[in-house]
Amino acid sequence: MHPQASPTDSDLGEAVSAFVELRPRLFGIAYRVLGSAAEAEDVVQEAWLRWQRTDRSVVLSPAAFLSSTTTRLAINVAQSARVRRETYIGPWLPEPIDTSLDPVAGAERAEALELALLLVLQKLTPTERAAYVLREAFDYGYAEIAQILCLTPVNVRKVVSRARQHLAGDGCDSVDAQEHRRLLDTFVAAAQDGDVASLEALLTPDAVSLSDGNGLRGAARVPVVGRARVANLATASSRFWPGVEVAPVEANGRGGVLLCRDGRPEVFMTIAATRRGVHQVLWLFNPRKIAAFLASRTRRVPLSADAGVTGVTGVTGVTEVTEVTEVTAPVGLTRETDRSSYAVCRG
C-alpha cells in the first residue's frame, strides 16, 4: 500500500465514485462472512480508509482492490469474533437485515443470504466462509478468489468443495418465499392460539428452536430440540402472546415478523422450512440486534458529501463534485431516513 499525497479534484471524485458504486457489493461480502450488519459496516468503513490512503495511480482495478481488502478485513474480524462469541450467553444468531428495498443486499445473486444458511456458515472457518461467499454469492472465478485469499486456484477449489460438502443438506430444498411466508403466518397464528397440535403438524420431527438473547430473561439459553418441545415452547408462556402485535417484515429475502408490545418491537422471529416442514424456529430477543434490523429498514442514499466532497446532489446514484475538502472517512456514505419503531409496528 502506497501513501497518496495531495489528491486532485478529479482524482478524489473518481475515488469516491468508484467506492460508492462498489459499496453495496463490499457490504454484501462482509455481511455474509460475518453475519453482522454492524461489523460489516465497520469493515466497509475501514476499506474506505485504506482506499483513501492508497496510491490509486498504481491500482489497476478498484473493484479487485476493494473486494480483496474487504474480504481480508472481514476474515480478520471473523477470527476475533469467534473468540468473543465463546462468551455469548445462549445461542448466537446472525443479525437480520431488511431486504424489501434491495432483495439481494448488493449481491448479483441472493445466495448465502438466508438467516438459516448464514448460521450454518458460521461453522466454517473464516477462510472457507469467504471462499464460499465469493464463489456462490458473487460468482468470482477461482483465480480471482485465489488472489484475494493468497492461495492457489487448486487450493481454492478444494476449500469451496469442502464448504459445499459441509453445507450439503442444510436448506438445499428450502421452500420458496411465498410458501415460507404462508408457513410462518400459520405458525404464528397457531402459537397465538395456543394450538399445540397445529404447531406439531407444521414441524419436522427434528425441529429445533433457537433463542438469541445473550442472557436476557425469557430467552432460552439452550437449543430446544424435537417437535413436541418446540411446539410447547412456542405456547408455553401465558403472558407472552396476549397484547402482542405482529408486524410482518422481510429479512434476508424471506418473511419474518416483529413481535411488538405497546408499539415497540421486542422480538424478531422467523423460521427455516423445507418441503418436509418447519425445521428451525429462530427467535431474536437481543435488543441491539433488533435495533440493527430496524436501522437497516431505512432507505440508504449514497452521498459523496459525507466523504469529504461538498456540493453534491442528493440523488441516488448521481453525484456532482463542486468543491474538494480534506478527505475524511465516509461515515457509511449514507443518509438514513428516520422511521420510528412505533410506525414499524403499526404498519
Side-chain angles (χ1 to χ4, degrees):
M1 184 178 297
H2 306 279
Q4 186 180 33
S6 302
T8 64
D9 293 16
S10 60
D11 175 73
L12 180 58
E14 290 173 1
V16 172
S17 178
F19 187 84
V20 169
E21 180 180 356
L22 292 167
R23 191 182 188 284
R25 178 187 294 194
L26 304 181
F27 175 82
I29 293 172
Y31 173 68
R32 285 164 170 79
V33 172
L34 296 169
S36 166
E39 290 176 348
E41 291 286 4
D42 289 343
V43 164
V44 173
Q45 183 79 356
E46 179 61 26
W48 160 255
L49 293 175
R50 297 194 180 195
W51 177 235
Q52 171 187 316
R53 295 192 296 260
T54 294
D55 180 0
R56 294 179 294 276
S57 66
V58 300
V59 176
L60 298 178
S61 169
F65 176 89
L66 287 168
S67 295
S68 179
T69 299
T70 299
T71 302
R72 293 173 186 174
L73 287 169
I75 289 174
N76 290 339
V77 173
Q79 290 169 339
S80 62
R82 175 171 291 184
V83 176
R84 294 196 306 274
R85 289 170 190 169
E86 289 177 355
T87 63
Y88 201 84
I89 302 174
W92 178 93
L93 296 178
E95 288 179 11
I97 57 173
D98 182 86
T99 51
S100 59
L101 298 175
D102 180 8
V104 292
E108 285 80 357
R109 301 188 297 178
E111 275 79 355
L113 186 60
E114 290 183 41
L115 282 178
L117 182 54
L118 285 179
L119 181 59
V120 177
L121 279 174
Q122 300 301 311
K123 298 178 182 178
L124 305 178
T125 68
T127 298
E128 289 175 333
R129 213 180 304 163
Y132 179 87
V133 166
L134 290 171
R135 181 61 184 169
E136 297 299 321
F138 294 89
D139 204 26
Y140 279 75
Y142 289 107
E144 294 176 286
I145 300 174
Q147 289 184 329
I148 292 173
L149 300 180
C150 299
L151 299 172
T152 67
V154 172
N155 283 340
V156 170
R157 287 182 180 273
K158 291 180 180 178
V159 169
V160 173
S161 177
R162 285 200 303 269
R164 286 172 176 162
Q165 291 173 5
H166 193 93
L167 299 174
D170 286 287
C172 60
D173 60 341
S174 295
V175 296
D176 61 27
Q178 183 176 358
E179 177 64 6
H180 181 276
R181 170 57 73 180
R182 186 191 71 80
L183 289 170
L184 174 61
D185 290 345
T186 303
F187 184 97
V188 171
Q192 286 181 297
D193 292 339
D195 189 347
V196 174
S198 293
L199 288 174
E200 289 187 3
L202 292 172
L203 295 162
T204 61
D206 58 349
V208 59
S209 176
L210 300 173
S211 301
D212 180 327
N214 195 20
L216 191 69
R217 184 178 179 181
R221 299 191 179 189
V222 296
V224 176
V225 182
R227 173 184 285 153
R229 290 181 177 180
V230 173
N232 285 325
L233 177 68
T235 60
S237 176
S238 59
R239 293 179 296 177
F240 180 78
W241 289 108
V244 166
E245 303 166 73
V246 179
V249 294
E250 180 182 310
N252 297 63
R254 294 289 168 139
V257 292
L258 282 173
L259 305 181
C260 311
R261 198 177 299 277
D262 298 325
R264 299 295 178 183
E266 290 188 348
V267 182
F268 168 87
M269 180 260 183
T270 190
I271 60 172
T274 67
R275 291 186 293 272
R276 297 186 301 116
V278 175
H279 62 90
Q280 274 187 339
V281 184
L282 307 176
W283 306 84
L284 193 63
F285 292 84
N286 189 321
R288 182 186 62 78
K289 294 185 178 182
I290 294 174
F293 174 74
L294 293 174
S296 76
R297 291 175 61 85
T298 59
R299 181 181 294 275
R300 294 164 181 261
V301 181
L303 290 176
S304 296
D306 289 334
V309 182
T310 60
V312 183
T313 59
V315 181
T316 304
V318 179
T319 60
E320 179 184 354
V321 179
T322 59
E323 178 187 349
V324 178
T325 61
E326 180 182 357
V327 184
T328 58
V331 196
L333 288 176
T334 62
R335 171 182 293 162
E336 298 187 352
T337 303
D338 291 334
R339 180 175 180 179
S340 69
S341 58
Y342 184 89
V344 171
C345 291
R346 295 295 186 182

